[in-house]
Amino acid sequence: MRTLFPAALAILLLCNSFSPKTPAGEKQYVLVQWVNDLAGDFSFKEKWDYPEGVYRNEYGQLSCDGFCPEESYRMKDSTGKIFNDSLKAFYKIVDTTHQFHTLECEAWCYEWAGTDLVSVHQLKKGKVEAITDCNAATHCSLHLAFSGDTCTPVIMLNSIVPGGDATYRITGGSIKIDKQLWKKGIMKAEFSFDFYNPEPSDQKMFWKGKVWSPIIPSRK
């Protein structure tokens, strides 16, 4: 049986797709409920964080540790202070921009400790894909594929456990999307999905939350 991965371990992994785990005969998608004015509290979109690893040090400088370009470490002294003559070069290679939250969610899946970000992209032929971010402690991501009025959700796990990678399919759920904002290139949505877990567990696998994110246009 799997165990949930501790949130404290700082290992950054990217999430990819793997062999699906799904109950036979189950529907793999849900119908989008389009609404003209989606109600609810979406104030999370005003919150922001620095990119992972960026923090303000004891000298009042925005510094970086753990997930930083190797050359950035040579621009600091033994106490962690960035050399004054290296500040300009440091901020050219270290991203210190504000990352505004695009997601508020709760979930239970393996190696999940929370995430505040989702990226939404316009694909070819009118299709759209939304993918939540992984981070140091969260190694699973929610993928939503939109085509017309259908949404196909899956959880993709890029496990730190050898052979533990997996994709989990839905058993049911719903999603509401603000139709007017969608037309303007913004995904404002509220969702709740349950997923099939083939392994023995007393805990239901689920992912629910809210999205407010720009839809990034296709480059082609």
Side-chain angles (χ1 to χ4, degrees):
M1 182 184 298
R2 297 183 192 276
T3 57
L4 287 178
F5 187 65
L9 184 59
I11 299 176
L12 183 63
L13 297 172
L14 298 176
C15 291
N16 301 298
S17 60
F18 303 95
S19 300
K21 295 186 177 182
T22 179
E26 290 287 344
K27 184 183 293 185
Q28 301 302 300
Y29 64 88
V30 295
L31 293 177
V32 175
Q33 301 175 45
W34 299 102
V35 297
N36 288 325
D37 186 12
L38 182 59
D41 181 5
F42 286 81
S43 59
F44 64 87
K45 66 186 179 68
E46 306 299 332
K47 300 177 182 178
W48 59 269
D49 294 301
Y50 289 116
E52 194 158 16
V54 174
Y55 67 100
R56 193 169 296 278
N57 64 20
E58 61 182 295
Y59 305 101
Q61 302 168 322
L62 283 181
S63 189
C64 184
D65 193 21
F67 305 100
C68 315
E70 187 64 31
E71 56 267 36
S72 69
Y73 294 101
R74 296 193 290 270
M75 301 179 186
K76 297 186 285 187
D77 65 19
S78 59
T79 67
K81 182 179 180 180
I82 304 169
F83 299 117
N84 289 334
D85 59 1
S86 297
L87 284 170
K88 188 174 182 179
F90 186 89
Y91 295 125
K92 281 186 176 180
I93 62 173
V94 175
D95 182 9
T96 59
T97 57
H98 295 182
Q99 292 186 335
F100 281 88
H101 294 188
T102 52
L103 174 70
E104 181 180 72
C105 66
E106 299 176 39
W108 189 92
C109 55
Y110 299 109
E111 301 179 32
W112 187 86
T115 182
D116 301 310
L117 301 173
V118 60
S119 299
V120 187
H121 292 265
Q122 179 77 52
L123 306 180
K124 295 180 179 179
K125 299 180 180 180
K127 295 183 179 181
V128 174
E129 183 178 54
I131 303 175
T132 66
D133 278 20
C134 294
N135 53 51
T138 292
H139 311 140
C140 60
S141 63
L142 177 65
H143 291 228
L144 305 177
F146 297 95
S147 181
D149 294 329
T150 66
C151 170
T152 304
V154 296
I155 291 176
M156 295 184 178
L157 171 64
N158 188 10
S159 178
I160 64 161
V161 179
D165 300 337
T167 300
Y168 299 93
R169 308 289 184 179
I170 64 164
T171 57
S174 63
I175 183 168
K176 296 179 181 178
I177 300 179
D178 190 302
K179 187 174 184 178
Q180 301 307 316
L181 288 177
W182 183 271
K183 291 178 180 178
K184 296 178 182 179
I186 297 173
M187 181 178 174
K188 180 184 180 184
E190 184 172 9
F191 64 87
S192 179
F193 303 119
D194 295 330
F195 295 85
Y196 174 68
N197 182 7
E199 302 183 26
S201 175
D202 294 330
Q203 176 65 53
K204 179 177 69 175
M205 185 176 290
F206 72 93
W207 205 311
K208 63 181 181 179
K210 298 175 181 178
V211 173
W212 184 296
S213 172
I215 301 173
I216 302 172
S218 172
R219 294 182 180 179
K220 297 183 180 179

